[in-house]
Amino acid sequence: MRRPMVAGNWKMHGTRASVAELIKGLRQLALSTGVDVAVFPPCLYVSQVVEGLAGKSMVVGAQNCAYEPLQGALTGEVAASQLHDAGCKMVLVGHSERRLLLSESDEAVARKFAAAQSCGLTPILCVGETREQREAGKTLEVVSRQLDSVIESLGVGVFAQAVIAYEPVWAIGTGLTATPDEAQSVHAAIRAQLAAENAEVARGVRILYGGSVKAANAAELFGMPDIDGGLVGGASLNADEFGAICRAAGN
Ligand code: PEP
């Protein structure tokens, strides 16, 4: 039985003041004990959020890490070891905004995944196809390649300590959502790909859906057998909306 998870990706949003407001709202949420909740603020505000959520059962993560695990001469980057030191427990790797807008390669994503794990962080590997790829019938090919690049370089066993997020690029921040059936079929394919290598790892890994998840569509998506919760962008900036999504996953 997989424990559901809801992860809020704040992207490049926030100021010290708005982050303080959001923390206040999150602290007031009554969360079900049946769901893991994590938030991913911009790196600059990680310490503020770690301190602000102390004692609340919410994990704090980062949105990216350097491909080198340890601190060193890499201007502008943040090492997984530093994120761990700051109180992060998780990190997103391979978000589509980084893959597409910042040209992050599959190889770089795999290195970041390894860097995260080597520092005790749980990576959330983000995968997903663009609209053009979906229209060309290449969804499973693209997602499978993104997953394979981690399996080939690190082995399938690394997914025993990781989370996967399927995020169709055309659904991120657009208000468009994959239907529960569309999402389920990709989640099932991801699980089958892992199962071909290691059935136990495949059964245990949580696969989150991301792409315009909101309170109104969360329950239906999370009701699908291979959808174990959500990676939520825009809706995670509103504590009440985020709380409703967490409740949908907890039920
Ligand atoms: C995301 O950024 O990972 C995301 C899913 O965004 P949104 O929920 O806004 O589509």
Side-chain angles (χ1 to χ4, degrees), residues 2 179-185 187 191 207 218-229:
R2 294 180 296 272
T179 64
D181 285 333
E182 280 170 338
Q184 164 60 26
S185 74
H187 283 232
R191 208 178 295 287
I207 308 176
E220 223 190 337
L221 285 159
F222 301 165
M224 303 308 280
D226 287 294
I227 300 183
D228 305 312

Side-chain angles (χ1 to χ4, degrees), residues 7 9-11 92 95-97 126 165 167-168 171-176 209-214 231-236:
N9 173 14
W10 297 0
K11 310 196 190 203
L92 304 181
H95 191 281
S96 63
E97 285 154 14
C126 303
E167 301 203 295
I172 295 182
T174 58
L176 300 171
Y209 169 78
S212 299
V213 173
K214 40 191 181 291
L231 177 53
V232 184
S236 69

Side-chain angles (χ1 to χ4, degrees), residues 9-240:
N9 173 14
W10 297 0
K11 310 196 190 203
M12 198 172 66
H13 292 292
T15 59
R16 280 189 62 79
S18 72
V19 165
E21 274 302 301
L22 191 45
I23 290 170
K24 204 155 105 192
L26 292 173
R27 288 202 69 89
Q28 281 161 5
L29 294 178
L31 294 171
S32 149
T33 51
V35 58
D36 288 338
V37 178
V39 293
F40 296 76
C43 202
L44 192 59
Y45 303 119
V46 158
S47 295
Q48 186 185 355
V49 178
V50 168
E51 281 160 30
L53 291 178
K56 186 86 186 160
S57 54
M58 278 188 198
V59 157
V60 179
Q63 299 170 17
N64 178 45
C65 65
Y67 56 73
E68 290 292 346
L70 304 178
Q71 59 177 299
L74 202 48
T75 303
E77 289 292 280
V78 179
S81 61
Q82 294 172 311
L83 296 173
H84 185 264
D85 181 51
C88 286
K89 304 270 187 259
M90 305 187 82
V91 61
L92 304 181
V93 295
H95 191 281
S96 63
E97 285 154 14
R98 299 196 60 86
R99 288 183 190 265
L100 296 170
L101 304 176
L102 300 171
S103 306
E104 208 163 273
S105 66
D106 284 343
E107 292 69 30
V109 172
R111 283 185 70 184
K112 289 179 179 201
F113 188 109
Q117 285 192 331
S118 75
C119 295
L121 301 178
T122 301
I124 299 187
L125 174 70
C126 303
V127 297
E129 82 288 0
T130 63
R131 191 208 316 218
E132 293 70 31
Q133 290 164 334
R134 173 161 282 259
E135 285 170 356
K138 295 199 163 145
T139 298
L140 296 184
E141 188 187 313
V142 169
V143 168
S144 160
R145 191 200 67 232
Q146 291 170 337
L147 192 57
D148 238 359
S149 83
V150 174
I151 297 173
E152 273 171 20
S153 55
L154 306 175
V156 72
V158 295
F159 286 98
Q161 301 296 337
V163 175
I164 297 170
Y166 168 57
E167 301 203 295
V169 178
W170 48 272
I172 295 182
T174 58
L176 300 171
T177 317
T179 64
D181 285 333
E182 280 170 338
Q184 164 60 26
S185 74
V186 180
H187 283 232
I190 291 171
R191 208 178 295 287
Q193 185 176 347
L194 294 169
E197 310 260 344
N198 185 320
E200 198 186 330
V201 167
R203 261 196 307 277
V205 70
R206 291 180 285 191
I207 308 176
L208 313 183
Y209 169 78
S212 299
V213 173
K214 40 191 181 291
N217 59 21
E220 223 190 337
L221 285 159
F222 301 165
M224 303 308 280
D226 287 294
I227 300 183
D228 305 312
L231 177 53
V232 184
S236 69
L237 295 169
N238 178 310
D240 290 336

